[in-house]
Amino acid sequence: MKNIVKSLLVGTLSAGALAVCAEDKTVFNLNFNEGFESGVYEFSKRGSAALVPAEDGKGKVLAPVAAGKKGPAGVILSGDAAPEFVSEAFTLSFKFKYTGKPLAETPKKSVYAWLYDCRYRGKSAKGGMSINLSASEKATNMNITIGCKDGKTAGGSFRVPTALDGKWHEVVITVAPGKLSFSFDGKVQNRVMLGVPAPASQRLTIGDCVGSSYSPFYGLIDDVKLTVPAAPAAAAPAAK
């Protein structure tokens, strides 16, 4: 039986008759309990990626790559890139838990892992967004890179010192005109957005890099949700 993760429409209706708020759209909401599909967008696993039981026994979570395995990993969107994956305003949230080797036991005592990517590759990439986790003896950072319509990039590197502690962490990234907000376990860091995000240039990969097999995320990922705000509806007519 085909598994479906239903797309949702979430919105609120303002009180009073001054204005009507349009509903925000949840582009996809992957909790992996029902598989790799989201109604409109169909996802499939790459390489050794698997769904494993959640620790609390409720549902499943994504394990992008099996320990010790090489090659493509994670979940990848079937089909072409979707412009909605990076619009001029959006909110992306997800949870992750690192289960790889302790930093002291990794080659060169460093970690470089991709969590989310619809932008790859490098300087030739236009539009889209990539998120990776980098760690060394000096610092642990989450790096966000967003391709903009003017050909430049926006984003930043954010300190996340507890990211490799083997516990669950929650990330929320909100992009609005002129502003990028990054939240790690509820602690918010804001940056100025010197550019307007351009639509995704690659199909979406979660847990690895598009087209790459070098740096998948060794751990678990859950509750990947992307929301795009709708434009406000026209003002409601005045009461007679």
Side-chain angles (χ1 to χ4, degrees):
M1 180 177 180
K2 206 170 185 179
N3 291 321
I4 299 293
V5 178
K6 295 181 180 179
S7 296
L8 304 175
L9 290 178
V10 181
T12 57
L13 183 63
S14 60
L18 294 179
V20 176
C21 294
E23 293 181 327
D24 289 350
K25 179 182 179 182
T26 298
V27 180
F28 58 79
N29 186 5
L30 293 169
N31 60 18
F32 302 110
N33 292 341
E34 301 294 336
F36 296 118
E37 298 177 11
S38 65
V40 177
Y41 305 112
E42 181 178 339
F43 294 81
S44 58
K45 74 183 189 72
R46 302 170 75 197
S48 60
L51 296 180
V52 299
E55 295 166 342
D56 60 5
K58 299 177 181 179
K60 296 181 179 180
V61 297
L62 171 67
V65 60
K69 293 290 185 178
K70 295 183 179 180
V75 172
I76 191 165
L77 173 74
S78 301
D80 297 329
E84 283 185 307
F85 292 163
V86 180
S87 61
E88 294 185 10
F90 62 89
T91 295
L92 171 71
S93 61
F94 61 90
K95 298 175 183 176
F96 74 91
K97 176 180 178 179
Y98 180 74
T99 61
K101 294 181 179 180
L103 193 61
E105 299 178 15
T106 59
K108 299 181 181 179
K109 295 184 179 181
S110 63
V111 169
Y112 191 80
W114 293 82
L115 287 158
Y116 185 100
D117 183 33
C118 53
R119 181 176 182 273
Y120 189 81
R121 123 181 347 247
K123 295 181 179 180
S124 63
K126 296 180 180 179
M129 177 173 67
S130 64
I131 304 171
N132 62 63
L133 187 64
S134 63
S136 67
E137 292 181 312
K138 294 182 178 180
T140 300
N141 298 306
M142 187 162 288
N143 308 303
I144 302 169
T145 304
I146 301 173
C148 296
K149 292 182 177 181
D150 60 5
K152 298 180 181 179
T153 59
S157 183
F158 301 89
R159 296 290 295 271
V160 287
T162 61
L164 303 186
D165 62 4
K167 298 179 181 179
W168 281 99
H169 299 284
E170 184 172 10
V171 170
V172 180
I173 299 165
T174 300
V175 172
K179 181 180 179 181
L180 183 151
S181 178
F182 173 80
S183 171
F184 186 82
D185 290 343
K187 185 177 180 179
V188 180
Q189 301 178 55
N190 294 317
R191 297 284 176 87
V192 174
M193 277 284 294
L194 298 176
V196 178
S201 56
Q202 303 286 344
R203 53 187 183 170
L204 175 63
T205 297
I206 299 170
D208 199 359
C209 183
V210 174
S212 173
S213 61
Y214 299 108
S215 302
F217 177 69
Y218 285 90
L220 306 173
I221 298 176
D222 198 15
D223 296 332
V224 187
K225 182 177 181 180
L226 177 66
T227 303
V228 177
K240 295 182 179 179

